[in-house]
Amino acid sequence: MPNFIPNGLKSNFLIYIIVAAYLLVYFFFFPSFYSSSDEQHILAKALQFRHFQLGEKDPLNVCNAGLYTNNGYVYGHYIGRPLFLIPFTFFGFNAVMLSGLIIHLLNFALLLLIFKKLKINQIFALLYLFYPVIFWQSRTLYAGILVLTGFLAAFYFYLSNKEKHWVLSGVFLGLAMLARYDAALGIGAILLALLIKNRKKLLFVLAGFLPVLFAIVLFNTFAYGSPVGTGYGHSGTGLLYSTIFGADVVSIIFCITMLLLLYPLMFASPYLLRKFNFKLEFALFSIAYLFFAARYNPFHFDISLFTLPLRMRYALPLAGMLIIPYGLFLQKILEKYKSKEKLLLAGYWLFIVLLFAGIIFASHIHAKFLNERRAVFEQIYANTPENALIIGSSDDCMYFLNGMFPKRRYLNIDLEQGLAGNPQNLSIEQFIDDKTYVLELRYGNRSGRESARQHVIEKEREKIKEFIEKNKDRLQLVFETNKPHYLKIYRFERFK
């Protein structure tokens, strides 16, 4: 260990200290709520699975479903993250929000094991903890970080010379796909590399992967009515086609730029190494994930200096995997410039300190954002009775989740949006009773924004305004505030 480090502390002890400090920051700025209907879907799906359900029959207990089948209304999100959430749901909402941290630490532990096997200094694995989009997802219920778990575990066993470990590598590739079906692109890249390099190893990896793939196909058939179906109402083959032919060049350039700049040269690190046995795997994996991430234009959403790195959400598994060759790249720099090792390590630790300061600031911003969502949640529940029917718009349904939150019923004013196209031809009027309330909610931090996504939200919000105006003689305002956001709650007086 370099002499500049006080008291001759060893590398692993420094790692423990930084992880402990990271945990203190996490719990000090604990995520008090989630931020989107996407996360609500994942948690709702976990509750359904816990009760051995594949869908939701009751239209008043649905949040923007993507599909309607014999099982009821089905959410679009994939099943891996909901399955992982099930044990946490028994211990309440805070435990659910803790699940992202557990995945984050698990991934970090896997990186430490990989670095040890590759004889890379484990201090470089610390970079994983602070990578912006990965750090952010550790505070959410999104699935990308769990996809990375599957790939990291698969790579750990992929490094082995034992055939049984190659089978386990295939199993974990399957689990990555379970978390998000689009992981099939990265899996295909790895299998193609094996087809070129080592066909014997390919067979053992397939022996582990194919049973999981079969289980996924079986689930799709029962849950979505098609072996290649998804809860989004699109087939997996259709998503694959749109990924290959729908990639936007600007989005690809954006992702490459982020991967090169956030951690300097990280994207190029596998190819800057003279001896790295997995260049082909990383090249094909990178191409696959760049094309996938490029289906989603980062400029469709509001962009700021803070949110810009988070628009790499769909490239998260690629960023996490690149930490491996990047750690080796940094170690080779130390070995090449041995005479300047102390100075280079001092620079590295300074970079870690700056990253740590950055996550303190980012945690504060994110916690403030979530606390505002939590405040809206509490205002709604304080001003509506148990089992009230709430009519809202856009993603208002994120605040309602029976089985986790107090009992409420919910309908989106646009039944086609909320109920997978409204195949049952339901109407708002048939559900209105003397416990019906209407939400008019606008987020102050989105006011005046010009993104494409914001224009969609405004059109959705306009429908609730029209509904309120149409029924103004039957509605009574029971709550109004502009803190933390603009919220009005009306009670529907049916017989007035």
Side-chain angles (χ1 to χ4, degrees):
M1 201 64 196
N3 295 329
F4 75 88
I5 296 177
N7 303 320
L9 291 172
K10 294 183 178 180
S11 296
N12 57 350
F13 188 58
L14 276 175
I15 291 171
Y16 299 148
I17 290 175
I18 291 171
V19 171
Y22 183 95
L23 291 175
L24 287 175
V25 172
Y26 182 91
F27 285 107
F28 188 81
F29 296 105
F30 190 84
S32 60
F33 208 67
Y34 47 67
S35 63
S36 71
S37 58
D38 286 347
E39 293 178 85
Q40 195 269 9
H41 296 168
I42 291 169
L43 179 50
K45 207 158 191 171
L47 293 173
Q48 289 174 5
F49 289 163
R50 196 177 102 181
H51 295 100
F52 304 100
Q53 298 172 346
L54 295 178
E56 176 56 60
K57 298 284 189 180
D58 185 357
L60 301 181
N61 195 27
V62 175
C63 177
N64 295 340
L67 186 66
Y68 182 74
T69 70
N70 293 334
N71 298 306
Y73 296 97
V74 178
Y75 294 124
H77 288 267
Y78 306 106
I79 63 177
R81 189 68 161 97
L83 288 173
F84 184 87
L85 269 182
I86 290 174
F88 296 91
T89 63
F90 289 97
F91 300 98
F93 186 71
N94 285 341
V96 167
M97 296 309 299
L98 186 65
S99 65
L101 175 65
I102 302 301
I103 299 172
H104 196 44
L105 295 177
L106 176 60
N107 289 353
F108 181 65
L110 286 168
L111 273 173
L112 291 176
L113 290 173
I114 292 169
F115 276 37
K116 183 178 181 180
K117 184 167 282 194
L118 292 175
K119 296 181 172 55
I120 304 172
N121 192 330
Q122 290 179 320
I123 63 170
F124 296 128
L126 288 169
L127 292 168
Y128 164 82
L129 291 176
F130 307 108
Y131 198 83
V133 69
I134 297 173
F135 152 77
W136 165 66
Q137 279 216 2
S138 74
R139 297 174 53 84
T140 73
L141 301 182
Y142 288 113
I145 195 171
L146 190 60
V147 175
L148 178 57
T149 306
F151 280 126
L152 288 172
F155 190 73
Y156 174 76
F157 289 109
Y158 188 90
L159 293 171
S160 174
N161 292 320
K162 296 180 180 180
E163 294 169 349
K164 62 182 180 181
H165 288 170
W166 298 343
V167 175
L168 286 173
S169 180
V171 170
F172 281 105
L173 287 177
L175 294 178
M177 185 172 171
L178 194 70
R180 281 191 66 99
Y181 292 175
D182 43 58
L185 294 165
I187 296 166
I190 293 168
L191 296 179
L192 177 58
L194 281 176
L195 180 64
I196 296 169
K197 292 174 60 175
N198 190 334
R199 295 181 183 179
K200 178 184 176 181
K201 189 174 184 178
L202 171 63
L203 293 176
F204 283 97
V205 171
L206 284 173
F209 171 67
L210 290 178
V212 184
L213 177 62
F214 177 76
I216 292 173
V217 167
L218 197 63
F219 174 84
N220 290 348
T221 302
F222 280 104
Y224 309 134
S226 167
V228 293
T230 72
Y232 290 98
H234 307 290
S235 72
T237 52
L239 291 174
L240 178 63
Y241 179 88
S242 64
T243 295
I244 295 173
F245 297 102
D248 178 65
V249 174
V250 173
S251 299
I252 292 176
I253 294 171
F254 168 81
C255 286
I256 292 175
T257 303
M258 289 290 103
L259 289 166
L260 281 170
L261 294 183
L262 290 176
Y263 288 172
L265 297 179
M266 186 174 79
F267 181 72
S269 60
Y271 323 107
L272 296 174
L273 291 164
R274 180 181 297 180
K275 293 183 179 180
F276 184 60
N277 294 330
F278 309 102
K279 287 183 180 180
L280 179 61
E281 287 90 339
F282 273 87
L284 295 175
F285 190 84
S286 297
I287 291 170
Y289 261 98
L290 284 174
F291 267 80
F292 170 64
R295 288 180 65 241
Y296 304 92
N297 190 325
F299 305 105
H300 179 74
F301 300 89
D302 298 304
I303 291 293
S304 68
L305 184 62
F306 181 77
T307 61
L308 190 65
L310 307 186
R311 298 308 174 204
M312 292 178 57
R313 169 181 165 186
Y314 296 101
L316 185 153
L318 173 58
M321 291 297 290
L322 284 171
I323 297 290
I324 299 168
Y326 193 56
L328 183 58
F329 172 69
L330 294 177
Q331 179 165 294
K332 293 300 181 184
I333 290 177
L334 287 182
E335 293 172 358
K336 184 176 181 179
Y337 300 99
K338 194 72 176 176
S339 62
K340 298 181 179 180
E341 180 183 14
K342 293 181 181 179
L343 181 62
L344 291 171
L345 280 172
Y348 174 76
W349 287 113
L350 177 60
F351 187 55
I352 292 295
V353 169
L354 292 174
L355 289 173
F356 191 84
I359 67 118
I360 294 175
F361 174 73
S363 297
H364 165 70
I365 297 297
H366 191 237
K368 182 175 182 292
F369 174 81
L370 296 180
N371 289 341
E372 290 175 352
R373 292 293 193 267
R374 181 78 192 190
V376 172
F377 168 84
E378 292 172 350
Q379 288 167 348
I380 292 170
Y381 280 77
N383 292 281
T384 59
E386 184 176 357
N387 201 37
L389 170 61
I390 314 294
I391 300 173
S393 65
S394 193
D395 63 350
D396 293 349
C397 61
M398 64 180 278
Y399 295 107
F400 308 99
L401 184 54
N402 294 322
M404 182 60 63
F405 303 146
K407 174 71 175 177
R408 297 292 188 276
R409 297 167 293 153
Y410 179 81
L411 279 176
N412 191 313
I413 188 64
D414 184 347
L415 292 182
E416 290 194 1
Q417 176 188 337
L419 299 178
N422 192 20
Q424 294 181 298
N425 294 315
L426 305 175
S427 69
I428 293 287
E429 289 291 334
Q430 74 185 77
F431 293 102
I432 293 175
D433 57 22
D434 57 1
K435 275 191 171 183
T436 300
Y437 291 74
V438 180
L439 294 184
E440 184 179 4
L441 174 62
R442 290 180 291 116
Y443 295 116
N445 58 4
R446 291 179 178 173
S447 179
R449 295 187 176 182
E450 296 296 331
S451 69
R453 173 58 185 157
Q454 185 58 33
H455 287 308
V456 171
I457 293 172
E458 288 173 358
K459 287 182 180 179
E460 293 170 353
R461 297 291 188 200
E462 193 62 33
K463 293 179 181 179
I464 202 73
K465 290 182 181 179
E466 293 171 359
F467 181 78
I468 291 170
E469 178 62 26
K470 179 182 177 181
N471 293 279
K472 61 183 179 181
D473 294 335
R474 304 168 67 190
L475 294 172
Q476 179 181 353
L477 182 66
V478 296
F479 180 77
E480 181 178 7
T481 184
N482 59 3
K483 295 180 180 179
H485 301 294
Y486 304 99
L487 173 64
K488 291 182 179 180
I489 302 177
Y490 299 87
R491 183 172 64 242
F492 217 107
E493 298 190 349
R494 183 179 187 182
F495 306 110
K496 185 172 179 179

